[in-house]
Amino acid sequence: MPEKNGTDGPNGAAGNGSDSSSAGGNGAKKRVAVIVEGAKAVRTQATQEIKALKHPEKTDLWKSMLRVKHDETPRSRALGVLSNVFLHLHPAKINRDAVAYRYTWGMGGMTFYVYITLVFTGTLLMFYYHPSKIVAFRDILYLEHDVPFGKLLRNMHRWGAHLMVIMVELHMFRVFLTGSYKSPRQFNWVVGVILLVLTLLLSFTGYLLPDDQLGFWAVTVGTNMARATPLLGHDGPFGRQLGMTPFNDVRFGLLGGSIVDANALLRAYIWHCVAIPIIASTFMVVHFWRVRKDGGISGPAPVMLESEIKEPRKF
Amino acid sequence: MDLNQLWRIISTPDNVPIVLLMIVVPFYTWYGLSQAFANDRLVVQLEADPALAKTHHRKTQPWKPGWARDVHVWPYLLRIEFLAAIIVTLILMVWSITLNAPLEEPSNPTLTMNPAKAPWYFLGLQEMLVYFDPWIAGVVMPTLIILGLMVVPYIDENPLGNGYYTYKQRKFAIWTFIFGFIILWVSMIVIGTLIRGPGWMWFWPGTTWDHNRLEFTVNRDLPDVFGLKGRVAKIIFGAIVMGLYSVAGAIGIHKLLNLTPFARKIYKRMSLVQVVVMQVFLISMLALPLKMVARLVFRIKYVWVTPWFNV
């Protein structure tokens, strides 16, 4: 753009100048010549600019979006990862063996990907669902039979949820087998356990939402256990002695009532769609942050020998 | 052999994850342990040859002098992540196109489903309801599982096996986790899904789910087996049995941790708090299979009977 202004400016000024000074018979001819000259200049400029499009990475527009050069230098590769908001969780370089699928099983990353898929499909599902006892079940029928790709959407959300639970368990299994919870990653394991619980709770709260027999009885069975909570449930040990009834115990708090009904549906909906996703996302942020801060993924580390064990610190 | 019934159970859409679980858990167990054994062989080799231990790169992954130690994330990691995302999307798409999510009749509080099952990942807890009262199976045990998992890094004092697969250097830890995860958690889910039928009765795979089946079993409390009558006697008896179990369990675990010189060395590193915490969780965990045997084989309902709670 600055180049264009540069060439256009003087041309326009010259044209104006000749316009005002000459008023004779040559005036028309001169004017045509000026216009032709101007047109030629525009044409050369246009060809130049079209040629420049072959290198879009040199335009200001491109630079403004990507901020750094992307050429074949190691520095650019590193900056491409580090200066990108979506990729900056990664370091610029990692150990050559850390990319081995055999070691990581890829379960942590895939869990996160499935979670994103679930947020996406779940948000779309929310457009068609009312968390109300009267219409909830009908909304599912509508979704399955009338909404374009509604059935696929619901299926993906359902199976994605199951897949996520399986992947979380396998991720935990891998982390245990490789001893990755050991120093300095102890606390990240604790965060991981919290995320496991949140995953199960997310899945469980979603179970009630179709308001069908399956979800209703699963949640009835599940929340009936809460009535047996020691001290806080009316059927639990010492619950009665502490004044617990079906109308003030922990189960009442979970369901918003003494039976699984409209309030329970609304509560499950809010926990499922708003509260737990926010809490889980927060813990995920911490989890990923700690992976980086604790020195990246744990291995594959060089094996240690028994003879190399250091004496523990004495107090 | 009722293959139709078997197929109906396996092909129920919500049971498909369990079928998947039964495939992926053994696969990944083998996948992880095979690398563990490979690393163990390397450890043996390095321990026999101290000169080699000084120069070896100490991994089973290939390595040649002159190779760069690090690689660029772009493209070497990002391409894998991209590929994984595509594959997961594909699997999820194909799964969702071929199999419909279950939708039963509208919810009806007056019509109880039989069997009424929790989602599959909670079936282990529901199966526990057979052996324990709801306050243990539904509240205490889940809390202990969560807390037990959380304390793992703080009681595992073994400095070996940090960041690589190994079996030999972490026998106790690996066995504990495999026992808890596969033998208790996964197999109880499988029992809850494939074996428990109407009335939560035990139907071997391949037998018909008979909704009219009645089971005549007399479950007795342990104090009654010994002919105790009084309430106070039962409370004291139960407390003694529980105490004896805890002491026996603690001694057994203590013996196990002193089995080999290496285990003894690691055990000695643990502080008293760590030992106590570990014992509490392990003894609670072992109580589950013991109670299962007591209930399924010896028909014992409660061990400790009190007016306030039963164990």
Side-chain angles (χ1 to χ4, degrees):
Chain A
M1 292 310 272
E3 288 163 76
K4 196 185 165 199
N5 284 338
T7 46
D8 240 16
N11 256 1
N16 284 338
S18 59
D19 236 17
S20 56
S21 59
S22 61
N26 279 352
K29 237 182 196 175
K30 249 186 187 171
R31 196 170 282 174
V32 170
V34 167
I35 290 172
V36 168
E37 211 164 286
K40 269 184 189 164
V42 169
R43 203 185 68 175
T44 17
Q45 197 193 337
T47 24
Q48 270 172 2
E49 277 180 32
I50 287 167
K51 264 185 196 162
L53 282 182
K54 285 182 181 168
H55 300 284
E57 71 275 8
K58 284 186 178 145
T59 57
D60 284 350
L61 181 68
W62 182 281
K63 284 178 193 162
S64 77
M65 283 196 285
L66 293 180
R67 291 181 50 232
V68 287
K69 269 193 216 163
H70 286 271
D71 46 23
E72 285 296 312
T73 60
R75 186 186 135 80
S76 282
R77 282 189 172 178
L79 282 178
V81 174
L82 295 180
S83 67
N84 183 305
V85 65
F86 300 108
L87 302 180
H88 83 282
L89 270 173
H90 299 89
K93 277 180 155 191
I94 47 165
N95 187 285
R96 66 176 306 117
D97 299 319
V99 294
Y101 180 81
R102 275 162 63 80
Y103 178 77
T104 63
W105 304 354
M107 283 300 163
M110 286 198 276
T111 305
F112 181 54
Y113 178 71
V114 173
Y115 178 74
I116 293 171
T117 317
L118 287 169
V119 170
F120 180 71
T121 53
T123 310
L124 292 179
L125 286 172
M126 282 169 80
F127 283 115
Y128 298 99
Y129 179 83
H130 305 80
S132 138
K133 200 73 183 166
I134 302 159
V135 287
F137 186 77
R138 271 188 256 170
D139 280 341
I140 306 294
L141 290 183
Y142 175 62
L143 197 76
E144 289 212 329
H145 299 289
D146 291 315
V147 176
F149 298 107
K151 203 167 211 173
L152 181 68
L153 208 57
R154 182 165 120 80
N155 290 350
M156 279 184 75
H157 198 71
R158 180 79 166 211
W159 302 137
H162 286 331
L163 202 60
M164 186 169 161
V165 174
I166 294 177
M167 280 174 169
V168 166
E169 288 181 0
L170 287 176
H171 175 57
M172 188 169 222
F173 192 29
R174 191 284 288 178
V175 170
F176 191 93
L177 282 183
T178 56
S180 303
Y181 57 79
K182 294 183 181 191
S183 175
R185 297 180 180 80
Q186 297 102 321
F187 187 69
N188 215 11
W189 166 272
V190 176
V191 176
V193 173
I194 295 169
L195 281 171
L196 167 78
V197 176
L198 288 172
T199 307
L200 295 177
L201 287 179
L202 263 177
S203 201
F204 185 64
T205 47
Y207 221 70
L208 181 66
L209 298 185
D211 196 30
D212 64 342
Q213 282 284 66
L214 196 66
F216 178 84
W217 287 104
V219 171
T220 305
V221 169
T223 49
N224 267 346
M225 297 201 190
R227 74 163 87 206
T229 312
L231 310 177
L232 295 175
H234 70 275
D235 266 353
F238 307 109
R240 299 239 164 194
Q241 288 85 339
L242 287 169
M244 289 296 158
T245 69
F247 305 102
N248 65 1
D249 66 350
V250 63
R251 179 169 172 274
F252 189 91
L254 289 174
L255 294 178
S258 58
I259 52 164
V260 179
D261 205 10
N263 282 350
L265 189 63
L266 187 62
R267 286 193 185 200
Y269 179 77
I270 292 167
W271 280 114
H272 184 75
C273 301
V274 185
I276 304 180
I278 291 175
I279 301 169
S281 302
T282 314
F283 276 101
M284 268 181 232
V285 169
V286 177
H287 198 59
F288 301 155
W289 169 259
R290 283 300 296 251
V291 171
R292 282 296 304 278
K293 292 294 146 185
D294 293 339
I297 70 161
S298 58
V303 297
M304 210 175 134
L305 304 183
E306 200 189 315
S307 51
E308 292 161 350
I309 297 179
K310 288 190 193 108
E311 279 303 302
R313 269 185 303 141
K314 290 273 192 300
F315 292 101
Chain B
M1 194 71 180
D2 186 352
L3 287 176
N4 180 44
Q5 177 76 61
L6 188 66
W7 175 246
R8 279 231 309 274
I9 296 170
I10 290 174
S11 65
T12 303
D14 257 4
N15 288 352
V16 170
I18 292 99
V19 179
L20 190 66
L21 203 68
M22 284 168 74
I23 299 166
V24 294
V25 168
F27 170 75
Y28 278 108
T29 311
W30 165 80
Y31 202 43
L33 286 182
S34 70
Q35 293 177 68
F37 296 142
N39 276 332
D40 289 345
R41 283 193 294 274
L42 179 65
V43 167
V44 170
Q45 198 187 345
L46 294 181
E47 269 170 348
D49 188 351
L52 183 68
K54 275 191 187 128
T55 54
H56 198 277
H57 74 289
R58 295 190 171 200
K59 293 182 191 180
T60 47
Q61 275 81 6
W63 190 78
K64 274 183 192 152
W67 279 4
R69 205 174 65 89
D70 294 324
V71 291
H72 273 285
V73 162
W74 169 260
Y76 297 103
L77 176 61
L78 287 175
R79 69 178 177 195
I80 295 174
E81 292 182 349
F82 187 55
L83 209 63
I86 292 174
I87 292 168
V88 171
T89 312
L90 258 174
I91 290 171
L92 199 57
M93 278 283 195
V94 171
W95 188 357
S96 304
I97 290 169
T98 50
L99 201 69
N100 282 329
L103 187 69
E104 306 269 336
E105 304 278 298
S107 68
N108 185 351
T110 59
L111 185 72
T112 313
M113 295 250 292
N114 191 11
K117 288 190 181 182
W120 62 267
Y121 36 82
F122 287 148
L123 281 183
L125 302 180
Q126 201 179 349
E127 173 66 14
M128 254 193 258
L129 280 173
V130 177
Y131 314 104
F132 291 107
D133 274 357
W135 69 275
I136 301 183
V139 185
V140 175
M141 280 296 191
T143 313
L144 284 178
I145 292 171
I146 295 165
L147 290 179
L149 283 171
M150 280 180 177
V151 300
V152 161
Y154 301 101
I155 55 176
D156 186 350
E157 272 295 300
N158 184 355
L160 298 183
N162 186 346
Y164 56 91
Y165 291 96
T166 172
Y167 168 70
K168 240 183 198 165
Q169 296 179 338
R170 300 175 59 215
K171 274 183 193 165
F172 187 77
I174 300 251
W175 271 114
T176 309
F177 196 82
I178 285 185
F179 180 74
F181 177 59
I182 297 178
I183 298 179
L184 293 182
W185 185 251
V186 175
S187 67
M188 295 232 325
I189 287 173
V190 171
I191 290 173
T193 316
L194 303 182
I195 292 177
R196 291 298 180 176
W200 209 258
M201 280 188 274
W202 190 284
F203 289 89
W204 285 107
T207 51
T208 314
W209 279 15
D210 180 2
H211 282 258
N212 297 315
R213 180 171 138 186
L214 290 172
E215 244 176 23
F216 294 101
T217 49
V218 182
N219 290 322
R220 293 176 299 173
D221 297 339
L222 197 61
D224 296 333
V225 175
F226 284 85
L228 290 172
K229 286 282 181 304
R231 178 186 277 184
V232 181
K234 280 183 181 178
I235 295 174
I236 295 170
F237 173 81
I240 290 173
V241 172
M242 297 286 287
L244 282 178
Y245 160 69
S246 304
V247 170
I251 292 172
I253 292 161
H254 180 80
K255 283 259 158 70
L256 206 59
L257 285 169
N258 276 314
L259 217 53
T260 63
F262 175 67
R264 207 172 304 139
K265 195 155 105 188
I266 303 301
Y267 192 35
K268 279 220 177 91
R269 294 167 69 97
M270 291 177 72
S271 73
L272 208 57
V273 181
Q274 284 174 319
V275 172
V276 170
V277 170
M278 182 188 67
Q279 288 276 19
V280 167
F281 283 111
L282 286 180
I283 288 169
S284 326
M285 184 163 93
L286 284 174
L288 174 63
L290 279 180
K291 188 74 194 285
M292 283 173 82
V293 171
R295 173 70 169 67
L296 292 175
V297 181
F298 300 106
R299 299 282 162 211
I300 285 163
K301 188 155 190 243
Y302 294 127
V303 173
W304 192 5
V305 186
T306 75
W308 315 283
F309 62 88
N310 300 309
V311 179

